[in-house]
Amino acid sequence: MANMLVSEMRLPLYLAHLLAARRLDTAKDVLSLPEVELMAILDAGLPTARAAIAHVSEAACPPCQTALSLLEERVRLGGGGRLATMLCGLDEALGGGIPTGKLTEVVGPSGIGKTQFCLKLALLAALPEYYGGLDGRVVYIDTEFKFSPRRMIEIGQKSFPQIFRQEGLAQKMAGRILVMRPTSLADFTKSLEEMKVTLLQHDVKLLIVDSVAALMSMENEKATAGFRQHPLRWSLSFLKSIAEFSRIPVVVTNQVRSQSNDDGYHFSFEVDRKDGSNCAERFDSHLVAALGIQWAHAVTVRLVFESHSGHRFIKVAKSPMSPAVAFPFAVESSGITLLSDESIDVTGPDITSIRCQGQNVLA
């Protein structure tokens, strides 16, 4: 909660005004300063500095909860505070669906179905509660310009024909989804800074970022190696704080990259299309999630979309609710559908590997 705003902490008025006047806007601004330095900035005595630290610490640190209180909260929220994907096997494995207040990552090669999955989630969050939705608005940050309202409406018409036959409902659902298209990391950062106010004012029930990897790829071309991780750390911290602050699901898509010794690191969407003849072979055993180990540790749930043995699979590679399991799926006019709700156990190196066989996925 380092990025929690001081203005949202309900501090005593004299402290709130004092910190605002000195431009100490976040918990990190206050708590990263030694007492002596804070005294100098506030132009106040030691008791005032210590009071500021105590009040900010109490507001910024999440309160302790017992196992009983967590269980009661889950029962109260219904479904454990989750967004059901309507993919029965996957929802069962995840304990009801995509968790609220957490960061969920969807990772896989280009063209595998990540955006299709996100479009269905956006639709489900916007649907009325009596149809299984969250009856809220959605913020969809579309960094690769892949969001298609027409495709989303098609998914809705095929998945819920009885709903979308109602006059004007399709337009109503589309009107609940706010699409933002930052063209640079600076634009993305600005969007995140404005996000908390948007979430509160517009009853947002889901935040999707599709995808962070594309922005980082553009940024890395400009930045030196030593600077590359800084914007990623800030974005990651802020996305997690948004999830915790708003208690909504935050879903972020991630690309994959090659680790081949010959080619170095490449995102899957940066593969030379002219070399398509051996594209699948080059990438089959050398794919890893982009953005590195720091990102991997920060996400609560990692869903890997991969292709092998003639099928596409959704793999629950990381989840506090489930062992590593996989489900075969297909992309149809109604969106992502599971070919079987029976899970396939995943063990050993297959848990962390990302496989992509077949040119039809990367082509």
Side-chain angles (χ1 to χ4, degrees), residues 29-50:
D29 294 339
V30 178
L31 300 180
S32 61
L33 295 173
E35 288 181 346
V36 174
E37 188 172 345
L38 186 58
M39 289 168 57
I41 293 176
L42 297 179
D43 191 21
L46 183 59
T48 301
R50 287 181 172 173

Side-chain angles (χ1 to χ4, degrees), residues 142-155:
D142 178 27
T143 68
E144 297 184 39
F145 294 83
K146 290 183 178 180
F147 180 87
S148 170
R150 178 172 296 184
R151 173 61 177 142
M152 189 191 67
I153 296 301
E154 180 188 22
I155 291 173

Side-chain angles (χ1 to χ4, degrees), residues 168-180:
L169 187 58
Q171 290 81 357
K172 182 179 180 181
M173 295 298 99
R176 289 182 170 183
I177 299 173
L178 173 63
V179 180
M180 307 172 72

Side-chain angles (χ1 to χ4, degrees), residues 30-303:
V30 178
L31 300 180
S32 61
L33 295 173
E35 288 181 346
V36 174
E37 188 172 345
L38 186 58
M39 289 168 57
I41 293 176
L42 297 179
D43 191 21
L46 183 59
T48 301
R50 287 181 172 173
I53 293 172
H55 281 290
V56 172
S57 297
E58 183 179 359
C61 294
C64 295
Q65 288 182 282
T66 65
L68 177 60
S69 66
L70 289 172
L71 179 60
E72 290 173 342
E73 181 181 8
R74 178 175 180 178
V75 172
R76 178 178 58 81
L77 291 173
R82 293 170 185 271
L83 170 61
T85 67
M86 300 300 180
L87 305 174
C88 295
L90 181 61
D91 284 339
E92 184 177 352
L94 295 176
I98 307 298
T100 60
K102 308 293 182 184
L103 204 57
T104 296
E105 176 194 39
V106 179
V107 59
S110 180
I112 193 74
K114 301 186 300 297
T115 296
Q116 302 292 320
F117 184 71
C118 289
L119 289 174
K120 185 68 170 284
L121 289 181
L123 179 65
L124 291 170
L127 281 177
E129 289 183 355
Y130 51 84
Y131 287 119
L134 297 182
D135 198 20
R137 296 180 182 273
V138 177
V139 173
Y140 197 115
I141 301 181
D142 178 27
T143 68
E144 297 184 39
F145 294 83
K146 290 183 178 180
F147 180 87
S148 170
R150 178 172 296 184
R151 173 61 177 142
M152 189 191 67
I153 296 301
E154 180 188 22
I155 291 173
Q157 290 172 337
K158 298 295 183 179
S159 301
F160 310 100
Q162 73 281 12
I163 303 174
F164 277 77
R165 288 196 193 102
Q166 299 179 30
E167 184 177 353
L169 187 58
Q171 290 81 357
K172 182 179 180 181
M173 295 298 99
R176 289 182 170 183
I177 299 173
L178 173 63
V179 180
M180 307 172 72
R181 286 177 165 164
T183 57
S184 67
L185 189 58
D187 288 343
F188 178 65
T189 301
K190 183 179 179 181
S191 298
L192 290 183
E193 289 173 339
E194 298 171 348
M195 192 62 61
K196 284 187 177 180
V197 175
T198 301
L199 295 177
L200 289 173
Q201 292 179 345
H202 298 284
D203 192 30
V204 173
K205 296 294 180 68
L206 174 66
L207 169 62
I208 295 173
V209 183
D210 184 19
S211 70
V212 171
L215 285 174
M216 292 302 165
S217 177
M218 289 186 292
E219 190 70 17
N220 287 351
E221 293 177 0
K222 306 173 187 177
T224 62
F227 179 72
R228 290 178 183 178
Q229 287 300 315
H230 175 70
L232 173 61
R233 285 198 301 269
W234 189 93
S235 300
L236 176 58
S237 173
F238 211 91
L239 284 171
K240 291 190 69 175
S241 73
I242 285 175
E244 294 167 358
F245 169 78
S246 303
R247 303 300 299 168
I248 64 171
V250 174
V251 178
V252 181
T253 67
N254 189 7
Q255 289 286 355
V256 295
R257 63 184 182 186
S258 167
Q259 270 193 320
S260 106
N261 293 331
D262 296 333
D263 298 330
Y265 291 95
H266 299 284
F267 291 101
S268 62
F269 54 76
E270 296 175 326
V271 178
D272 187 354
R273 305 294 183 186
K274 297 179 181 179
D275 194 23
S277 59
N278 62 352
C279 177
E281 296 176 7
R282 286 172 53 200
F283 273 82
D284 181 32
S285 59
H286 298 287
L287 290 178
V288 295
L291 304 182
I293 194 70
Q294 183 183 33
W295 177 271
H297 284 308
V299 299
T300 301
V301 175
R302 168 172 277 182
L303 301 179

Side-chain angles (χ1 to χ4, degrees), residues 146 223 308 334 339:
K146 290 183 178 180
H308 60 86
S334 60
L339 301 180

